Amino acid sequence: MNNGHRVHVVYTDFSKAFDRVNHSILLNKLNSLGVQGNALKWLSSYPIDIQLQVRVNGHLSASYDVKTGVPQGSHLGPVLFNIFINDIGTNFSSEYFLYADDLKICRAIVNDSDIQALQHDIDQLSAWCLNKKLDLNIKKCAVISFSRSHTTHPTNYMLNNKVISEVEDIKDLGIIIDSKLTFTKHISKITLQAHKMLGFITRTCRDFADPRSLLNLYYSLVQPILEYGSVVWSPYTDTLISRVEKVQRKMCKTLIYHRAQPTRNISMEEICCQYKINSLKSRRQIADLAFFYKVVNGLIDAPEINSSFEFAPVNLTLRRNRLLKITKSTKNYVVNGPLNRIANLVNSLHNDLDFYGGTYSNFITATKNKLLDYH
């Protein structure tokens, strides 16, 4: 995108992936990976030697063997599934991302040969699924074209002789990503969801005598909606920042209504001070800095993200040297994106905070003392 190209991303959806893991294929793969002898026998008894019965209105069916699936909600289930699926991209020429059964195949489209290569990867995926006896739900698969261009280039990718639908935005691990990388739709969705939840709390708990009970419910049920994944989508325009903060302002007005002294006028600032309510923007900044600390200190295993933060050269002519480089660009999604946003924040605070030493808990305490108005 930075070079003016489109990026096509194919999102796939498996039909009941965890329930369709073929036991014989899984055992053969474990054996080929070196899991043999008693270890293989023990693992084979875990998902395979299971019999089930169905009870309906007091009537019990005959027992039957379970031939597919790994136990969900178990410790070994996800491990066995990851082993089963980890060779899915062996024959892909395009880049791909895999998290459990969420697979994305992506490629920068410079010319028609890139479109053909991506289509070939989709065909390879279809062949892999046929070989592993897994099914793709074509109705839930989608392709999205990331580009800042005003001209459209419709996609026409096929999966099992059916056209994969093209979308303008898609939910990716709980975050709505649009083709322009603005995150406007995601912010609109979470603010609407948060307003609905806050309305439910205020209606249900209108007779609560202690306002702090309302505040605890807000912290438990509303605030997480507004903060999940904020490192990715954190707004940079005043309009979007205000839209997110509006939810909290509404909560403060509710607290004013429930205050112990109804005859005295009280401002929003006094409410925030009395109940130690910090702005959501400052909380997002703490989340950004916590993420940076975890990445550079190895608490999050993300070498590609770590290498994206580059140290800035020392400039003796500046009174305050920068710690990290800032990427210069004419594109908003780069200038205000996560890397630049975090780098700017780190540069403004690196003389006051130790990003490369001490414990994580001490770092968070120091960060809160620096950024939060109320503790």
Side-chain angles (χ1 to χ4, degrees):
M1 286 183 67
N2 294 348
N3 295 325
H5 302 308
R6 291 167 289 151
V7 178
H8 288 176
V9 183
V10 179
Y11 283 76
T12 64
D13 183 88
F14 290 94
S15 299
K16 300 180 179 179
F18 281 80
D19 295 330
R20 298 284 180 86
V21 173
N22 185 278
H23 292 162
S24 60
I25 296 175
L26 174 61
L27 290 179
N28 288 334
K29 188 164 187 182
L30 287 168
N31 183 65
S32 67
L33 293 173
V35 181
Q36 300 169 350
N38 290 332
L40 185 61
K41 290 180 181 178
W42 180 78
L43 282 173
S44 67
S45 69
Y46 179 67
I48 293 178
D49 294 342
I50 296 176
Q51 290 189 329
L52 296 180
Q53 290 178 295
V54 179
R55 184 188 298 274
V56 179
N57 295 330
H59 299 282
L60 198 63
S61 72
S63 60
Y64 62 95
D65 295 327
V66 179
K67 299 184 181 298
T68 61
V70 293
Q72 298 188 45
S74 62
H75 290 290
L76 275 180
V79 176
L80 293 175
F81 180 81
N82 284 337
I83 292 173
F84 184 83
I85 204 174
N86 71 347
D87 64 344
I88 194 170
T90 303
N91 297 320
F92 293 169
S93 63
S94 305
E95 191 170 3
Y96 71 98
F97 300 95
L98 182 66
Y99 180 79
D101 61 339
D102 286 315
L103 171 69
K104 300 181 286 288
I105 311 173
C106 59
R107 191 179 188 93
I109 307 300
V110 180
N111 48 49
D112 289 343
S113 63
D114 291 311
I115 296 176
Q116 296 169 4
L118 184 54
Q119 178 61 62
H120 181 264
D121 291 333
I122 297 171
D123 296 337
Q124 291 292 324
L125 171 63
S126 179
W128 183 92
C129 291
L130 183 64
N131 183 49
K132 293 295 190 291
K133 300 182 179 180
L134 289 179
D135 295 325
L136 286 168
N137 188 346
I138 183 65
K139 293 182 179 179
K140 292 186 178 180
C141 294
V143 59
I144 183 170
S145 177
F146 291 100
S147 172
R148 298 304 288 261
S149 173
H150 296 291
T151 58
T152 59
H153 300 271
T155 62
N156 191 31
Y157 295 105
M158 305 289 291
L159 174 62
N160 298 333
N161 297 320
K162 295 181 179 179
V163 178
I164 304 175
S165 60
E166 183 177 357
V167 296
E168 286 295 319
D169 56 82
I170 196 164
K171 182 181 286 188
D172 191 340
L173 299 179
I175 297 177
I176 298 176
I177 302 178
D178 60 82
S179 60
K180 305 294 184 183
L181 294 181
T182 64
F183 296 103
T184 303
K185 291 186 178 180
H186 178 74
I187 293 173
S188 297
K189 177 182 177 294
I190 63 171
T191 51
L192 177 60
Q193 186 179 353
H195 276 297
K196 288 182 178 179
M197 179 58 69
L198 183 57
F200 170 77
I201 291 173
T202 54
R203 289 192 306 272
T204 307
C205 309
R206 65 174 71 247
D207 296 327
F208 278 25
D210 187 358
R212 295 188 184 276
S213 299
L214 289 173
L215 192 58
N216 287 333
L217 287 172
Y218 167 79
Y219 287 148
S220 300
L221 301 176
V222 179
Q223 209 171 66
I225 297 174
L226 299 172
E227 295 184 339
Y228 169 75
S230 65
V231 173
V232 175
W233 57 264
S234 185
Y236 58 88
T237 65
D238 291 338
T239 301
L240 293 180
I241 292 173
S242 178
R243 186 179 299 178
V244 179
E245 292 287 348
K246 187 177 180 180
V247 181
Q248 187 155 280
R249 289 197 297 271
K250 186 176 180 181
M251 179 64 209
C252 291
K253 290 179 181 178
T254 303
L255 293 176
I256 292 175
Y257 176 79
H258 283 270
R259 70 189 187 276
Q261 298 173 315
T263 56
R264 188 177 74 85
N265 291 329
I266 187 170
S267 66
M268 196 78 71
E269 289 73 18
E270 288 179 286
I271 280 288
C272 291
C273 180
Q274 179 180 347
Y275 294 102
K276 299 181 179 179
I277 302 174
N278 291 285
S279 71
L280 294 173
K281 180 179 179 180
S282 62
R283 290 178 56 84
R284 289 194 298 271
Q285 289 177 334
I286 291 174
D288 285 346
L289 294 174
F291 177 76
F292 176 78
Y293 180 94
K294 288 180 178 180
V295 167
V296 298
N297 288 283
L299 300 180
I300 293 178
D301 184 16
E304 290 186 3
I305 298 178
N306 194 3
S307 63
S308 299
F309 292 108
E310 297 183 46
F311 285 107
V314 177
N315 191 336
L316 299 178
T317 61
L318 297 178
R319 286 188 295 177
R320 289 177 63 90
N321 284 316
R322 294 180 301 170
L323 182 65
L324 301 175
K325 284 184 179 180
I326 304 298
T327 301
K328 295 182 179 180
S329 175
T330 59
K331 300 173 176 63
N332 285 334
Y333 70 90
V334 177
V335 175
N336 302 293
L339 290 176
N340 265 11
R341 186 184 69 245
I342 293 175
N344 279 316
L345 194 56
V346 170
N347 287 340
S348 67
L349 296 170
H350 77 92
N351 288 326
D352 303 311
L353 298 174
D354 185 3
F355 292 98
Y356 296 92
T359 64
Y360 175 70
S361 60
N362 289 340
F363 172 79
I364 291 298
T365 300
T367 304
K368 289 181 177 180
N369 291 334
K370 183 68 179 177
L371 294 179
L372 296 184
D373 294 324
Y374 314 109
H375 307 283

